[in-house]
Amino acid sequence: MIVPVILSGGAGTRLWPVSRSAYPKPFMRMGDGQSLLYKTLDRALRLADGGTVLTVTGRDYYFLTRDEYANHPDADLDKLPFLLEPVGRNTAPAVVLAALHALEHCGADATLLILPADHLIRDLDAFVADAQRAAALAEDGWLVTFGMPPSSPETGFGYIRMGAEIAGREGREVAAFVEKPDRETAERYLAAGDHVWNSGMFCFRADALIAAAEKTCPDVLAAARACHASESGQSSPVEFAREAFLAQPDISIDYAIMERAKRVAVVPARFDWSDIGSWKAISDMDAETDSAGNRVQGQAIIVESENCYIQSDSRMVAAVGVKNLVIVDTGDAVLVADRERSQQVKIVVDRLRKDNHQAASFHKTVHRPWGSYTILEDGEDCKVKRLTVKPGHVLSLQLHNRRSEHWTVVNGTAKVRIGEREFLLNANESAYIPMNTVHRLENPTARDIHLIEVQCGDYFGEDDIVRLEDRYGRVQSKV
Amino acid sequence: MIVPVILSGGAGTRLWPVSRSAYPKPFMRMGDGQSLLYKTLDRALRLADGGTVLTVTGRDYYFLTRDEYANHPDADLDKLPFLLEPVGRNTAPAVVLAALHALEHCGADATLLILPADHLIRDLDAFVADAQRAAALAEDGWLVTFGMPPSSPETGFGYIRMGAEIAGREGREVAAFVEKPDRETAERYLAAGDHVWNSGMFCFRADALIAAAEKTCPDVLAAARACHASESGQSSPVEFAREAFLAQPDISIDYAIMERAKRVAVVPARFDWSDIGSWKAISDMDAETDSAGNRVQGQAIIVESENCYIQSDSRMVAAVGVKNLVIVDTGDAVLVADRERSQQVKIVVDRLRKDNHQAASFHKTVHRPWGSYTILEDGEDCKVKRLTVKPGHVLSLQLHNRRSEHWTVVNGTAKVRIGEREFLLNANESAYIPMNTVHRLENPTARDIHLIEVQCGDYFGEDDIVRLEDRYGRVQSKV
């Protein structure tokens, strides 16, 4: 049986300001409104025998990821178990842990289909067919990679040199994995036609993967077994002991297993593929442009400009007399980059992190298990937020030491507790929460509710939340 | 006696998104925090005999302009009379009206020094010396222009060809006014050294100007006399009958008088001068740049970029691998323009106007006679503003048909009337104003107060204000 495993990690710093660590690349929405993560689940569900899809992701992304999954009409959340990483780790631990989990919970014949959550594939029929070819090879004990026939002499990917055809199957042996080449070498690969890009997608039986790990990286396997043994015992979400998790080596599945194992095969893909590695990749995606090659998502005015990609959430962007630019506006930050140099956007994020700047990690809209908030004003004398609470959700029972809050419901009906009082607050009604007063906000209705919160005080940090009870296990946490 | 006349009009559309019709170029702040208008008043006060400075500006800018003037330590508002134009008109009517006003109120010997409010001059001592030279010529009956020795073959300015030296004075006769030249002609002018830029600043006796107008444009003079006769009679602000004002021809002082009059002189300026005509002009101003020629006002991260000018109020701007760009961010809009093509920014404004887009005219922060408001959120279910009310000021007594309001004071103490109740509202207190209820907000204190206003309803336009009383004469007006 095929058990897809979605690996959802990585900050996608080259896609700042849209991708940020608190809401990274897999959550990024494409032109059709679907996130990369949603699209990955969609692919996975087409192949999952019995509807089970494993997800390995960071603990901080658990609620967000579930929310994305819940949007899919075919998703049964009970069949979508999560393995939660206490911190980001490399792919070898993630994949080996997934294999151990699958052997225990999905059966000895589980064939894993490893899918990174931040790739874009549009020809789903071709993808399904290729994945089935890979699964057939995996059944025979091969460790299978998906190789992308190169369309350009790309120097940003690792390559796979293809070897002999595998008799009776549509796939080839892997002759060698090769490092990211220089331009000249990449051009030679492209011309020769015997090299494909290493896509980072794989297919293998769980038991075959474990058997290979036993030989190529016994240390990784031993550490993963110890970590697996530390599981909380719940079927989902699975949480690992932090110490045991961190004891695993930080190594990729490619280095730890694929490059060293025997019987490694490659299926040359017939589907289109992008790892959306940079703004250039997004701006290159085929979509309608104006006669000068400009493409706009959002609102923009373009005057005598060529080959620009402009994306703006809500603000007006004007481009005058410019060429080959990527302009991305997220309401709190704007990126202006040369299309061909958009890889260097990660340098921006490095600098923001060094300066401890909010815009490195958080968006104006911050997602929470119960919904989200958007910061409308962050002044010295007040902070103003727009809150959205999802149906049936509830914020923690909390108090603040350094601020009072004024809530005005602008849409829907909230259930509010302030001190010992509990009451309903309707649209166009407001409530006052004095400093140091226990309070709670709940959405008892079946649709989103919206509030404006005006905070008054002398400090408005998210760490001035004393949580007394929390449905989402955040009593110890600061956010 | 020298009576400076400040002409403050013109939208400065080439400086969008900072300059917009509701808060145009004269209000634009330079790096030192002073507006161009403030700097113009400062220049004027250095020359004003007795401290009187006339200002001709649009009615909509009256309160804003007074506020700017009030910031100047040497300004005595009683000596700063205003002539208010009901709509924008050209410079000939403005100057002739100022001359008629000066003859009546400042005495027969008034020498007018005409100063556009949107020029930048940094060497004030040189400016004062040149203005005194011009005034000496004006005393002799000359109509004097200020000519700027060209520093480049500029094609965007009109030129003055200088004639004979005027004996006993530091000035020359004007041989001819010449239209904006083509590049080749401009280079010839620059090489020859006998041409200067027409700066748009002038100096003449009021009676000499009227005498010249009598000959060169009797129609303009007659219409201005009729308009002058329609004055409300108040010494300031002077308001003209709309019909009489509009009956004046739309013509510049250059065309109507200077180019046709006899005894026209030019003082070649020894001071620096910029008309701040485009973002290029601002980006060219000498100021510190990094080693790659980039200059930043506000916060920005620059990666491998050259010769860029970046200005941002509050948001993070990142530039990656770009060259020769002007990037200007105002919180609600962002401009990305090639430095050399920044003149075309006016096309952006034309398009915004055609689309009736808010960003053509208004900023996120909108100035009012009583203070200002900033739109924090403009949603379908609510609108949120931050209000600032100046000391002693009061908003109109008003009501709304389609929205309720929730006010929370975040700083200071407000006096609030809601229906028949009147009370003080302190920081961290809030009040509710139901729909269709008469209300008024006042600042009874000596410092600015700040409120957050949450509007609930189904329509949030500024035209849903029914004004019952207004200190600023806006009962008929919609804003």
Side-chain angles (χ1 to χ4, degrees):
Chain A
M1 64 181 292
I2 296 179
V3 179
V5 177
I6 296 177
L7 302 184
S8 183
T13 53
R14 284 175 299 188
L15 294 173
W16 184 89
V18 169
S19 173
R20 305 188 196 177
S21 57
Y23 201 68
K25 188 174 155 196
F27 298 100
M28 202 165 123
R29 276 164 218 293
M30 296 291 102
D32 61 4
Q34 295 178 355
S35 68
L36 291 170
L37 179 63
Y38 179 97
K39 288 176 182 290
T40 306
L41 176 70
D42 183 65
R43 287 198 293 280
L45 287 173
R46 286 166 196 257
L47 287 150
D49 290 320
T52 295
V53 177
L54 269 173
T55 298
V56 186
T57 191
R59 199 179 195 161
D60 292 345
Y61 306 127
Y62 172 55
F63 292 101
L64 282 175
T65 306
R66 268 179 69 99
D67 285 351
E68 277 300 301
Y69 287 180
N71 293 330
H72 197 290
D74 299 338
D76 174 354
L77 287 173
D78 292 338
K79 291 186 176 173
L80 303 177
F82 281 81
L83 307 189
L84 300 184
E85 302 174 310
V87 291
R89 251 311 182 238
N90 214 323
T91 49
V95 170
V96 175
L97 283 169
L100 294 170
H101 185 90
L103 285 173
E104 189 175 322
H105 294 272
C106 308
D109 65 338
T111 293
L112 307 184
L113 175 65
I114 309 293
L115 303 176
D118 57 357
H119 291 177
L120 183 66
I121 292 167
R122 284 187 280 197
D123 185 345
L124 296 178
D125 291 338
F127 169 76
V128 168
D130 281 346
Q132 281 162 344
R133 276 176 202 113
L137 281 159
E139 282 300 310
D140 295 347
W142 293 89
L143 307 185
V144 188
T145 66
F146 291 82
M148 309 309 306
S151 54
S152 62
E154 183 64 52
T155 57
F157 297 136
Y159 284 69
I160 293 167
R161 183 156 64 247
M162 297 186 289
E165 299 274 356
I166 297 168
R169 295 287 183 202
E170 293 180 273
R172 294 170 70 168
E173 291 183 30
V174 168
F177 285 88
V178 290
E179 292 286 323
K180 294 175 186 175
D182 58 21
R183 180 86 186 181
E184 204 180 325
T185 312
E187 278 171 359
R188 198 151 36 80
Y189 290 168
L190 182 61
D194 59 344
H195 282 75
V196 287
W197 295 334
N198 184 354
S199 70
M201 293 183 285
F202 307 102
C203 187
F204 30 65
R205 284 180 57 111
D207 54 7
L209 191 272
I210 297 297
E214 194 90 62
K215 293 193 176 134
T216 62
C217 56
D219 56 333
V220 173
L221 182 60
R225 280 196 202 280
C227 189
H228 176 66
S230 80
E231 273 187 17
S232 60
Q234 296 172 304
S235 62
S236 178
V238 172
E239 299 207 49
F240 304 102
R242 189 181 170 87
E243 297 264 304
F245 191 88
L246 281 170
Q248 301 178 106
D250 186 331
I251 187 167
S252 75
I253 180 77
D254 300 78
Y255 283 120
I257 301 178
M258 302 305 287
E259 298 185 9
R260 306 183 198 172
K262 308 224 188 287
R263 297 204 78 203
V264 181
V266 55
V267 169
R270 299 175 203 191
F271 52 89
D272 62 299
W273 172 87
S274 169
D275 76 336
I276 314 276
S278 67
W279 283 111
K280 175 166 163 50
I282 290 179
S283 68
D284 283 348
M285 290 189 326
D286 41 295
E288 272 196 34
T289 63
D290 68 16
S291 58
N294 301 297
R295 190 147 66 88
V296 173
Q297 298 256 18
Q299 56 178 354
I301 289 183
I302 296 181
V303 177
E304 296 189 24
S305 297
E306 290 169 36
N307 296 317
C308 290
Y309 175 76
I310 301 180
Q311 180 176 325
S312 176
D313 285 353
S314 60
R315 305 189 331 133
M316 175 57 68
V317 174
V320 176
V322 294
K323 275 185 193 174
N324 302 319
L325 295 185
V326 167
I327 304 175
V328 180
D329 187 310
T330 53
D332 64 336
V334 62
L335 167 73
V336 180
D338 185 278
R339 252 171 119 130
E340 299 305 323
R341 295 167 80 176
S342 63
Q343 298 275 351
Q344 289 168 297
V345 170
K346 65 180 175 205
I347 300 174
V348 173
V349 179
D350 292 344
R351 293 217 199 137
L352 287 170
R353 283 192 182 146
K354 217 176 113 198
D355 297 347
N356 216 1
H357 196 289
Q358 171 92 355
S361 307
F362 293 100
H363 290 87
K364 246 171 93 175
T365 294
V366 177
H367 295 268
R368 289 282 178 254
W370 45 262
S372 63
Y373 65 81
T374 302
I375 298 168
L376 304 181
E377 168 86 343
D378 194 0
E380 289 199 357
D381 49 11
C382 73
K383 187 167 188 172
V384 183
K385 291 178 174 179
R386 182 188 182 98
L387 308 177
T388 300
V389 186
K390 295 183 292 191
H393 279 265
V394 55
L395 281 70
S396 58
L397 184 68
Q398 58 183 240
L399 60 81
H400 311 289
N401 291 314
R402 295 179 62 181
R403 64 181 189 244
S404 308
E405 293 178 339
H406 299 255
W407 289 345
T408 303
V409 176
V410 297
N411 209 322
T413 298
K415 189 167 152 191
V416 169
R417 175 173 157 191
I418 300 174
E420 296 306 310
R421 284 177 62 221
E422 193 160 56
F423 53 96
L424 293 179
L425 197 65
N426 297 304
N428 195 27
E429 292 180 350
S430 62
Y432 171 58
I433 301 108
M435 213 176 279
N436 289 313
T437 303
V438 166
H439 59 280
R440 177 156 53 197
L441 174 63
E442 186 174 347
N443 178 355
T445 73
R447 61 191 191 93
D448 284 357
I449 59 172
H450 299 273
L451 295 88
I452 301 295
E453 174 179 280
V454 179
Q455 304 176 358
C456 296
D458 62 359
Y459 178 75
F460 308 107
E462 288 300 309
D463 52 353
D464 179 20
I465 302 179
V466 180
R467 288 206 173 86
L468 307 168
E469 290 172 30
D470 184 64
R471 182 191 285 183
Y472 315 101
R474 299 174 303 164
V475 170
Q476 302 306 321
S477 152
K478 283 296 186 189
V479 289
Chain B
M1 66 179 291
I2 296 181
V3 179
V5 178
I6 297 177
L7 301 185
S8 184
T13 54
R14 283 174 302 188
L15 294 172
W16 184 89
V18 169
S19 172
R20 304 189 197 177
S21 58
Y23 201 67
K25 190 176 157 197
F27 298 100
M28 203 166 125
R29 274 163 220 295
M30 297 292 100
D32 61 4
Q34 294 177 354
S35 67
L36 291 170
L37 179 63
Y38 179 97
K39 288 176 181 292
T40 305
L41 177 69
D42 183 64
R43 285 198 295 281
L45 287 173
R46 285 164 196 257
L47 287 151
D49 291 318
T52 295
V53 177
L54 269 174
T55 298
V56 186
T57 190
R59 197 178 196 162
D60 292 345
Y61 306 127
Y62 172 55
F63 292 103
L64 282 174
T65 305
R66 269 179 68 99
D67 285 352
E68 276 301 301
Y69 286 179
N71 292 330
H72 197 291
D74 300 336
D76 174 354
L77 288 173
D78 291 338
K79 292 187 178 172
L80 303 178
F82 281 80
L83 307 190
L84 299 185
E85 301 175 309
V87 292
R89 249 316 180 234
N90 215 324
T91 48
V95 171
V96 174
L97 283 170
L100 294 172
H101 185 89
L103 285 174
E104 186 174 325
H105 294 273
C106 308
D109 66 337
T111 293
L112 306 184
L113 175 65
I114 309 294
L115 304 175
D118 56 356
H119 292 176
L120 184 66
I121 292 167
R122 283 187 280 198
D123 186 345
L124 295 180
D125 292 338
F127 169 75
V128 167
D130 281 346
Q132 281 163 345
R133 275 177 203 115
L137 281 160
E139 283 300 312
D140 295 347
W142 293 89
L143 307 185
V144 187
T145 65
F146 291 82
M148 310 309 306
S151 53
S152 62
E154 182 65 51
T155 57
F157 296 138
Y159 284 66
I160 293 167
R161 182 156 66 248
M162 297 186 290
E165 297 277 355
I166 296 169
R169 296 287 184 203
E170 294 181 273
R172 295 171 71 169
E173 291 183 30
V174 169
F177 285 87
V178 289
E179 292 287 321
K180 295 175 184 175
D182 59 22
R183 180 88 189 180
E184 204 180 323
T185 311
E187 278 169 359
R188 198 147 40 75
Y189 291 167
L190 182 62
D194 59 345
H195 281 76
V196 287
W197 295 333
N198 184 353
S199 69
M201 293 183 284
F202 306 101
C203 187
F204 29 63
R205 284 179 59 109
D207 54 6
L209 193 270
I210 298 296
E214 195 88 61
K215 292 195 178 134
T216 63
C217 56
D219 55 332
V220 172
L221 181 60
R225 281 197 202 279
C227 189
H228 176 65
S230 81
E231 273 189 16
S232 59
Q234 296 172 303
S235 63
S236 179
V238 171
E239 299 207 49
F240 303 102
R242 189 181 171 87
E243 297 264 304
F245 190 90
L246 280 170
Q248 301 179 108
D250 186 330
I251 188 168
S252 75
I253 180 78
D254 300 79
Y255 283 119
I257 302 178
M258 301 306 288
E259 299 184 10
R260 306 184 198 171
K262 308 225 186 287
R263 298 204 75 204
V264 181
V266 56
V267 168
R270 298 174 202 192
F271 53 87
D272 62 299
W273 173 87
S274 170
D275 76 335
I276 315 275
S278 66
W279 284 110
K280 174 166 166 47
I282 290 180
S283 68
D284 282 348
M285 289 189 327
D286 41 295
E288 272 195 34
T289 63
D290 67 16
S291 58
N294 300 298
R295 190 147 67 88
V296 173
Q297 297 255 21
Q299 56 178 353
I301 289 183
I302 296 182
V303 177
E304 299 190 22
S305 296
E306 289 169 37
N307 296 318
C308 291
Y309 174 75
I310 301 181
Q311 179 176 326
S312 176
D313 286 352
S314 59
R315 308 186 332 131
M316 174 57 69
V317 174
V320 177
V322 293
K323 275 184 195 176
N324 302 319
L325 295 186
V326 167
I327 305 175
V328 180
D329 186 312
T330 52
D332 64 336
V334 61
L335 168 73
V336 180
D338 185 277
R339 250 171 121 132
E340 300 303 323
R341 294 167 81 176
S342 63
Q343 299 274 354
Q344 290 168 298
V345 170
K346 65 181 173 200
I347 301 174
V348 173
V349 179
D350 291 343
R351 291 216 201 140
L352 287 170
R353 284 191 182 148
K354 216 176 112 197
D355 297 348
N356 217 359
H357 196 288
Q358 172 92 355
S361 308
F362 293 101
H363 289 89
K364 245 171 96 176
T365 294
V366 177
H367 295 269
R368 289 281 177 255
W370 46 262
S372 64
Y373 65 81
T374 302
I375 298 168
L376 304 180
E377 168 85 344
D378 194 0
E380 290 200 358
D381 48 13
C382 72
K383 187 166 188 172
V384 183
K385 291 178 174 179
R386 182 188 184 97
L387 308 178
T388 300
V389 185
K390 294 184 293 192
H393 279 265
V394 54
L395 282 70
S396 58
L397 184 68
Q398 57 183 239
L399 60 80
H400 311 290
N401 291 313
R402 295 178 63 180
R403 64 185 191 241
S404 308
E405 294 179 340
H406 300 254
W407 290 344
T408 302
V409 177
V410 298
N411 210 321
T413 297
K415 188 166 149 193
V416 169
R417 173 172 158 193
I418 301 175
E420 295 307 310
R421 284 177 62 221
E422 193 161 55
F423 53 96
L424 294 178
L425 198 65
N426 296 304
N428 195 27
E429 292 180 350
S430 61
Y432 171 59
I433 301 108
M435 213 176 280
N436 289 314
T437 304
V438 167
H439 59 281
R440 175 155 54 196
L441 174 62
E442 185 173 349
N443 179 354
T445 73
R447 59 190 193 91
D448 284 356
I449 59 173
H450 298 273
L451 295 90
I452 301 295
E453 173 178 282
V454 179
Q455 304 176 357
C456 296
D458 62 0
Y459 178 74
F460 308 108
E462 288 300 308
D463 52 353
D464 179 19
I465 302 180
V466 179
R467 290 207 172 87
L468 308 168
E469 288 171 33
D470 185 64
R471 182 190 289 183
Y472 314 101
R474 299 175 303 164
V475 170
Q476 301 309 321
S477 153
K478 283 298 189 188
V479 289

